[in-house]
Amino acid sequence: MTNDQGSTADNAARAIRGLTQAEAEARLQAEGYNELPNALHRSAFAIVLEVVREPMFLLLVAAGLIYLLLGDVGEAAVLLSFVLVVMGITIYQEQRTEHVLEALRDLTSPRALVIRDGEERRIAGREVVRGDILLLAEGDRVAADAAVLSASNLQLDESLLTGESVPVSKICREGDEAITPPGGEGLAFVYSGTLVVQGQAMAEVLATGARSEIGHIGTALQTVTTESSPLQQQTRKLVRNLAIISLSLCLLLLVVFGLTRGDWIGGLLAGITLAMATLPEEFPVILTVFMALGAWRISQKRVLTRRVPAIETLGAATVLCVDKTGTLTQNRMTVHTIVAADEFFRVPDEKNTAPLAEEFHELLEFGILASDINPFDPMEKAIRALGDRYLASTEHLHNDWSLLHEYPLTREMRAISHVWKSTRSEDHVVAAKGAPEAIVDLCHLDAATAAAIAQRVDTLSGQGLRVLGVAQARFGGEDWPPIQHDFSFEFLGLVALADPLRPAVPAALRECRAAGIRVVMITGDYPGTALAIAREAGLEGSEVMTGAELDQLSATELGARLRTVNVFARVVPDQKLKLVQALKANGEIVAMTGDGVNDAPALKAAHIGIAMGGRGTDVAREAASLVLLDDDFTSIVEAVRLGRRIYDNLRKAMTYILAIHVPIAGLSLLPVFFGWPLVFFPIHIAFLQLIIDPVCSIVFEAEKEEPDTMRRPPRRADEALFGGWNLGISLLQGAGVLLLSMTVFGIALSQHLGEGEARALAFITLVVANIALIFTNRVRHLTLLASLRIPNPSLWLITGAAALCLGAILAFPLTRELFRFALPDRGALILAVVAGLAGIVWFELFKLFHLPGKGPKARPSPP
């Protein structure tokens, strides 16, 4: 193996022997495995515990047990069956999510080739210990942080750690040089998780597991807490306030019932019924269901939801922080421009079949000859692909030539040369490529020519391109010179490469701007490259801030600069996290995209972390809230649209929930104070829940987005789910239904129809009014008749099912007895149905006269 600088005797001795197996096992016992702690996940038992702690489940169990003690086995069985069904569904959904996440993780740790007891051994990456000698070759994933002992043309892709899209060259360690953080050319260290793209090497392991660079990032992740979404915080506060009111009313009802009627068991059942009617358990449940169904919908777009509440939060996002490499760009190199003499050739896309001018053939020919025969390096792959495209039918491809000698990249000479045996000449052909200044030096060009080439290089570099120089030489004999300078090179030209922008990115960014979302690029790459990609993508602004500049600013100064700067370059992981936290301090709702290990802390700290699933790392996916399985940046726009639609429909659903709970609570409470028979028992509330929950989780969730969903700015993070308008409408709707239901119940009692018949009529009125509320609230900007033209199959399915169930309860004596009903006559049934429908007439008239353009007080109705 060729050594860039010549290995020292100590290095050679260590490399040959390595650790003994006994030494390795002792260090493994002392320092632990070379792995990061596994992410915690909930067991089935933990999920069950969460379910049984829900208030509604506890109330159902309590009511069922009371009926069981009273000997009413039928009603107890019905109530307890509800518990088992809902628990089973919840456990199934949670377990399915865990299985999806497990499938996304790598099945095994990478393997590593090490020297132990003087022999090569391939072991599991987790078993590598400090002091092991790693043998690295093209395509290997580095198992641990290590110092390079010897190397030949060694280049690594460190983009997962640094964000740099171009592979970096490595040299040998000199003496006991201390390990330094990754980033930039010419370091003598390789890092865990990075990829060898060219060459071979021996390296001594210096750090494993949590002590590696990846481990440091993992430690940073553990210090970052995941915040609740704004909607979760609002819902939690609303539930707490309503629960206090509900429990107070339940205690009041228990006391009044017991004192006035002397039936404390009946009072307890009445209190449980009122608790079931008023406890706002639907709010968190419906929030969970909406998010889960939203996750399912977005999964159809190849987006995995890692943390479900992020879907809703994404609809409120004001800033989207994107990483350049692999997010805006394709994370693969292509030849962008080639320069021969004074001629520039901008390489067109593959659909353009125009031939390559003859003056560029030799440049491309020797660029290929200066590359590996079967390249792994992305730049060499790009040059080879261009040659296959343009030179396939020419004499400039030499698959029949033999590679005789190669000169590797060194600290002094940033170029490589290959010596070939030609089949057409006795002389050997030498091809060189490398840093333009190194190739100019090899060609011994005069100052004027060198200055002209440097100007071209600056022009290309200013476009964010990686530029290589190419040269050729001829050599007779086989007594190879010791250094490349001894060849008589001729300068052929320049090859400029780029990590191309994803084609769909500009359109996606335009949609983000139309939706009021500011896009910020945060990358570890160079400022020129970052700015060039930003301009091509259509990011606003021309100012770039580097990580070094960022560190010089105070928190106040950084907050001010963040209002105008949209491109950040040469940023390391700690600084990415600092930027995200500064944006949050400015009051922004931050979404962060990325695919590398270096993105993980910022992904977790952001309100919404979005990881790339295809090219992304496990660390990034574990830290993220959403994972783009196909790495399609445009999916983010779909996720934003879905998040806004979910919030709009969630508001409609929760307005409906509050509206329908007003009459349910009133019919549970008021008869006790009026001295009337009870209208509801727990089984009635459970039946109504079978209508309410599917309506909210299916009908309202399935409503299409509003026409202006992606043409309005994000809502404020502190915007109340129930503002004055929605709260007022909801309470008025509920009060109207309560008044009509109580009126029907009172009239039935006054006409001596009997307790069972009166209860049935009040229940029918409430169910019909419930269905009417669904229809009138599903589209606020249209009247009920107009909204019927908007398709929603779930609406008719749930409505039909509710009507059939109600009819079945009334039709069969067994179910009538279970619900304590008596069958009303036809006239009374018609009265109950008409009363139920009348509950929404006032709101339909309100919509008719207050829709935009419908009168002097016309105003848009909130979604």
Side-chain angles (χ1 to χ4, degrees):
M1 183 177 291
T2 303
N3 187 341
D4 289 350
Q5 296 297 322
S7 297
T8 65
D10 289 342
N11 281 354
R14 282 202 306 268
I16 292 172
R17 184 181 68 85
L19 295 176
T20 66
Q21 186 63 28
E23 288 173 335
E25 290 176 356
R27 289 192 180 180
L28 189 64
Q29 183 71 25
E31 300 177 1
Y33 285 109
N34 177 34
E35 60 186 3
L36 300 179
N38 292 327
L40 297 176
H41 65 277
R42 292 177 298 165
S43 64
F45 181 71
I47 296 171
V48 170
L49 287 180
E50 290 183 11
V51 172
V52 300
R53 286 200 297 264
E54 291 293 329
M56 177 57 71
F57 295 139
L58 295 176
L59 290 171
L60 282 171
V61 170
L65 291 176
I66 290 175
Y67 277 115
L68 196 60
L69 292 174
L70 294 176
D72 194 341
V73 177
E75 190 150 355
V78 171
L79 293 176
L80 293 176
S81 67
F82 290 148
V83 176
L84 297 177
V85 171
V86 177
M87 183 183 295
I89 293 174
T90 304
I91 293 172
Y92 170 77
Q93 289 175 336
E94 295 290 345
Q95 287 290 84
R96 186 178 180 185
T97 299
E98 291 294 333
H99 291 157
V100 170
L101 295 176
E102 288 291 340
L104 189 61
R105 299 186 185 105
D106 290 336
L107 297 178
T108 60
S109 64
R111 309 287 290 177
L113 185 62
V114 301
I115 296 178
R116 287 187 181 172
D117 293 321
E119 298 178 354
E120 294 184 8
R121 295 184 184 181
R122 190 167 293 279
I123 63 175
R126 67 194 298 264
E127 296 176 4
V128 171
V129 298
R130 182 175 52 84
D132 263 329
I133 302 300
L134 297 175
L135 299 180
L136 302 173
E138 288 184 2
D140 287 348
R141 184 75 64 179
V142 180
D145 291 2
V148 179
L149 302 180
S150 63
S152 174
N153 294 339
L154 184 62
Q155 290 193 340
L156 283 92
D157 178 357
E158 295 183 343
S159 62
L160 297 181
L161 285 174
T162 66
E164 295 181 10
S165 57
V166 178
V168 293
S169 301
K170 298 295 180 178
I171 60 173
C172 293
R173 185 187 192 187
E174 296 181 349
D176 293 327
E177 182 182 354
I179 191 169
T180 57
E185 294 275 351
L187 296 182
F189 305 97
V190 293
Y191 304 92
S192 177
T194 59
L195 182 68
V196 180
V197 297
Q198 180 175 294
Q200 297 175 324
M202 271 188 190
E204 180 183 0
V205 174
L206 300 180
T208 61
R211 294 168 292 278
S212 65
E213 284 295 319
I214 286 182
H216 295 161
I217 295 174
T219 302
L221 282 175
Q222 294 175 1
T223 65
V224 179
T225 58
T226 303
E227 298 182 1
S228 300
S229 72
L231 189 54
Q232 282 179 311
Q233 296 170 7
Q234 289 185 36
T235 303
R236 193 177 297 121
K237 181 179 180 180
L238 178 65
V239 167
R240 184 184 66 246
N241 294 339
L242 291 178
I244 293 173
I245 296 173
S246 173
L247 292 176
S248 300
L249 291 175
C250 292
L251 290 174
L252 177 63
L253 178 61
L254 172 62
V255 172
V256 172
F257 195 101
L259 292 176
T260 58
R261 306 192 184 191
D263 183 2
W264 291 98
I265 295 295
L268 180 59
L269 285 172
I272 291 175
T273 302
L274 181 60
M276 293 175 62
T278 56
L279 272 179
E281 93 291 337
E282 288 97 348
F283 290 113
V285 170
I286 295 305
L287 176 60
T288 301
V289 170
F290 262 58
M291 298 301 109
L293 288 175
W296 174 80
R297 289 185 183 279
I298 200 172
S299 71
Q300 307 305 301
K301 304 291 185 181
R302 301 286 295 162
V303 178
L304 174 68
T305 304
R306 182 72 175 80
R307 294 182 179 85
V308 172
I311 297 176
E312 164 267 323
T313 311
L314 193 58
T318 58
V319 174
L320 176 59
C321 297
V322 297
D323 182 57
K324 178 187 72 66
T325 305
T327 306
L328 294 179
T329 66
Q330 300 175 32
N331 200 20
R332 66 179 182 88
M333 301 303 290
T334 60
V335 179
H336 181 278
T337 301
I338 53 179
V339 183
D342 294 326
E343 298 297 324
F344 285 73
F345 177 70
R346 172 66 171 91
V347 178
D349 60 43
E350 295 183 0
K351 296 179 181 178
N352 189 320
T353 58
L356 180 68
E358 183 66 32
E359 58 263 32
F360 297 105
H361 284 199
E362 192 175 40
L363 168 62
L364 189 51
E365 172 189 2
F366 278 86
I368 294 171
L369 289 173
S371 303
D372 283 351
I373 298 173
N374 296 304
F376 193 82
D377 176 83
M379 290 190 292
E380 293 188 349
K381 281 184 175 181
I383 295 171
R384 168 69 70 173
L386 192 66
D388 292 340
R389 176 179 172 186
Y390 284 116
L391 304 181
S393 59
T394 72
E395 73 281 6
H396 295 285
L397 292 182
H398 308 290
N399 295 327
D400 56 341
W401 288 15
S402 301
L403 178 62
L404 300 180
H405 190 68
E406 58 182 309
Y407 292 85
L409 202 71
T410 66
R411 188 191 298 266
E412 291 78 15
M413 177 51 62
R414 312 304 295 171
I416 61 175
S417 295
H418 288 175
V419 182
W420 294 86
K421 174 63 177 177
S422 170
T423 58
R424 302 173 187 173
S425 170
E426 291 299 324
D427 288 338
H428 297 109
V429 176
V430 186
K433 76 172 181 356
E437 62 273 16
I439 298 299
V440 167
D441 184 29
L442 285 176
C443 295
H444 306 289
L445 299 177
D446 59 71
T449 304
I453 293 173
Q455 186 175 7
R456 295 189 192 110
V457 171
D458 290 342
T459 301
L460 294 170
S461 298
Q463 300 174 39
L465 305 176
R466 176 69 180 268
V467 185
L468 298 176
V470 179
Q472 66 155 326
R474 295 293 189 274
F475 184 78
E478 297 194 7
D479 187 12
W480 315 122
I483 58 174
Q484 300 175 69
H485 263 295
D486 292 340
F487 293 109
S488 297
F489 280 108
E490 173 192 352
F491 187 81
L492 294 179
L494 303 170
V495 178
L497 300 102
D499 182 7
L501 190 73
R502 292 178 181 271
V505 164
L509 293 183
R510 286 194 296 271
E511 283 201 72
C512 287
R513 284 196 297 274
I517 301 174
R518 176 185 167 204
V519 181
V520 174
M521 179 197 293
I522 305 176
T523 179
D525 220 329
Y526 292 96
T529 305
L531 189 57
I533 290 295
R535 288 169 177 165
E536 187 179 356
L539 281 178
E540 297 176 339
S542 58
E543 187 178 356
V544 183
M545 180 185 292
T546 65
E549 295 176 72
L550 187 153
D551 281 337
Q552 302 302 315
L553 300 178
S554 66
T556 303
E557 292 170 334
L558 178 58
R561 292 291 300 280
L562 278 175
R563 303 183 191 280
T564 58
V565 180
N566 289 329
V567 180
F568 295 85
R570 303 304 290 169
V571 175
V572 298
D574 289 346
Q575 293 167 336
K576 287 190 176 188
L577 178 59
K578 184 177 180 180
L579 284 170
V580 170
Q581 291 172 334
L583 286 166
K584 290 167 66 175
N586 278 356
E588 307 283 4
I589 300 297
V590 182
M592 166 79 183
T593 71
D595 63 348
V597 174
N598 63 321
D599 298 321
L603 285 173
K604 189 172 183 180
H607 294 100
I608 314 106
I610 307 170
M612 299 299 172
R615 297 183 181 272
T617 60
D618 279 346
V619 176
R621 288 193 290 262
E622 289 289 344
S625 305
L626 302 176
V627 179
L628 307 184
L629 297 180
D630 55 4
D631 291 1
D632 187 350
F633 183 78
T634 59
S635 298
I636 296 174
V637 179
E638 294 300 319
V640 170
R641 179 182 287 109
L642 180 61
R644 295 187 175 192
R645 165 185 165 179
I646 286 174
Y647 188 85
D648 289 347
N649 290 340
L650 188 61
R651 174 176 279 175
K652 297 174 186 176
M654 291 199 169
T655 300
Y656 156 79
I657 288 174
L658 186 59
I660 194 59
H661 272 68
V662 170
I664 293 175
L667 288 171
S668 301
L669 181 65
L670 293 180
V672 175
F673 292 96
F674 289 176
W676 294 353
L678 293 178
V679 178
F680 291 149
F681 291 89
I683 193 170
H684 301 105
I685 307 301
F687 176 83
L688 290 171
Q689 293 296 328
L690 292 179
I691 300 176
I692 295 171
D693 290 348
V695 163
C696 295
S697 61
I698 298 176
V699 175
F700 284 114
E701 193 278 334
E703 287 296 329
K704 303 295 184 183
E705 66 265 15
E706 301 293 327
D708 65 340
T709 296
M710 294 299 290
R711 297 195 301 271
R712 63 177 188 244
R715 70 177 188 277
R716 297 193 320 274
D718 59 350
E719 178 179 320
L721 187 61
F722 282 114
W725 164 261
N726 288 284
L727 180 61
I729 289 295
S730 184
L731 291 176
L732 285 174
Q733 288 178 343
V737 173
L738 173 61
L739 178 62
L740 290 168
S741 300
M742 286 292 293
T743 299
V744 169
F745 189 63
I747 291 175
L749 292 176
S750 67
Q751 297 298 314
H752 307 291
L753 294 182
E755 180 180 322
E757 192 171 346
R759 181 177 293 112
L761 290 172
F763 192 75
I764 293 168
T765 302
L766 182 60
V767 171
V768 172
N770 188 354
I771 294 172
L773 284 175
I774 299 168
F775 277 87
T776 196
N777 281 302
R778 60 184 290 254
V779 184
R780 286 284 186 88
H781 66 277
L782 295 175
T783 62
L784 189 151
L785 293 177
S787 69
L788 293 178
R789 295 195 295 268
I790 300 176
N792 188 340
S794 302
L795 173 68
W796 300 104
L797 179 64
I798 298 299
T799 301
L804 285 175
C805 289
L806 181 60
I809 291 171
L810 294 173
F812 299 103
L814 180 61
T815 52
R816 287 201 301 271
E817 181 181 353
L818 191 61
F819 278 78
R820 307 187 189 194
F821 288 162
L823 185 63
D825 60 36
R826 181 177 301 176
L829 283 173
I830 294 174
L831 174 65
V833 171
V834 171
L837 294 174
I840 64 167
V841 171
W842 72 270
F843 187 59
E844 286 300 310
L845 292 174
F846 177 85
K847 287 198 293 184
L848 183 63
F849 290 104
H850 287 74
L851 287 175
K854 291 291 184 179
K857 294 185 179 180
R859 52 168 288 181
S861 180

